[in-house]
Amino acid sequence: MLNKLFITCVSTLLFCCLITAQEKNKKKDVLPEAISADTLVLKKPINPLSPAKAAFYSAVLPGLGQAYNKRYWKIPIVYGGLATGIYFYSTNNKQYNRYRDAYKSRLAGLTTDEFYLDVNGNQLTTPRVTTDGLQRGQEFYKKNKEISLLVTIGIYALNIIDANVDAHLMQFNVDENLSLAPHFRINELDRTSNLGLTLNFNF
């Protein structure tokens, strides 16, 4: 009688353990399916024309490609760079025109250019800037004007490239098996610190 009771209790206990284990296994099976289903729902479809659109928008109007990529914080940087380049181009162009006009009047034999006047506007017998100085000033400001123009065009081109690359990276499939993380370790022997990057690849 005791043996039957003992066997019944043990079998009931084992049966309860099996049911509990099966419920845990079911929960483990169900959870990844739910997570994978959520990630599939949340994953955005890849649009192969998105980088081309972003580049085209930035070419038409600088900063528009960044707005298309929803990188609004980059727009002031784009316009700040372009405005700086245009400002320096305009300033150097004005200075170049001043020196060129004065140089032309000197070649014509006139002594009425602005460099024959002092601060108060009185006529001077000797100019503040010589003819050679006017020629050097023209070359200097012409060179700076050309550099400013090239920098402005470069910023405009970078604006297009940035919009295109950013749109590509937004669609880039980031695999969890590949990661790049910073690491900081202290050497146990000499107590020096080591700072670097760790590339992990799981397969």
Side-chain angles (χ1 to χ4, degrees):
M1 183 71 179
L2 288 173
N3 287 338
K4 287 183 181 180
L5 184 63
F6 179 72
I7 291 170
T8 307
C9 288
V10 170
S11 59
T12 306
L13 185 63
L14 287 173
F15 183 71
C16 290
C17 289
L18 285 173
I19 290 173
T20 308
Q22 285 180 353
E23 285 178 0
K24 285 182 180 178
N25 287 335
K26 283 180 183 177
K27 286 180 181 177
K28 286 180 182 178
D29 292 335
V30 169
L31 187 61
E33 288 176 6
I35 290 171
S36 62
D38 289 344
T39 52
L40 286 174
V41 170
L42 293 173
K43 193 173 181 181
K44 294 180 180 178
I46 293 174
N47 182 5
L49 295 177
S50 181
K53 278 185 181 178
F56 176 74
Y57 290 154
S58 281
V60 171
L61 181 66
L64 193 59
Q66 283 74 17
Y68 175 76
N69 292 332
K70 295 182 173 59
R71 300 285 193 258
Y72 302 107
W73 61 273
K74 291 183 177 181
I75 297 173
I77 297 172
V78 171
Y79 279 102
L82 290 173
T84 304
I86 291 168
Y87 169 76
F88 280 108
Y89 175 81
S90 176
T91 304
N92 287 305
N93 189 43
K94 285 177 184 176
Q95 294 296 326
Y96 170 74
N97 288 332
R98 280 181 63 213
Y99 278 80
R100 187 189 62 181
D101 293 341
Y103 183 72
K104 283 181 178 180
S105 67
R106 295 275 178 91
L107 291 180
L110 302 174
T111 57
T112 56
D113 61 77
E114 63 174 294
F115 297 104
Y116 268 100
L117 303 175
D118 63 5
V119 180
N120 298 322
N122 300 320
Q123 187 76 23
L124 298 172
T125 54
T126 57
R128 289 182 288 122
V129 180
T130 63
T131 306
D132 290 338
L134 291 176
Q135 191 171 3
R136 287 195 303 271
Q138 280 184 87
E139 293 170 357
F140 174 77
Y141 287 113
K142 184 180 179 183
K143 182 181 177 182
N144 286 350
K145 181 176 74 167
E146 290 170 353
I147 291 171
S148 301
L149 182 62
L150 287 174
V151 168
T152 307
I153 293 170
I155 292 169
Y156 173 76
L158 281 175
N159 148 67
I160 298 170
I161 293 167
D162 172 71
N164 184 276
V165 171
D166 206 6
H168 270 295
L169 291 177
M170 285 173 66
Q171 299 185 60
F172 186 69
N173 184 15
V174 180
D175 192 356
E176 292 181 357
N177 293 326
L178 182 65
S179 64
L180 183 68
H183 76 268
F184 178 77
R185 292 180 185 168
I186 296 177
N187 195 336
E188 298 287 335
L189 298 174
D190 56 0
R191 309 302 281 172
T192 58
S193 59
N194 297 325
L195 182 66
L197 290 173
T198 304
L199 178 65
N200 296 321
F201 180 64
N202 300 324
F203 56 92

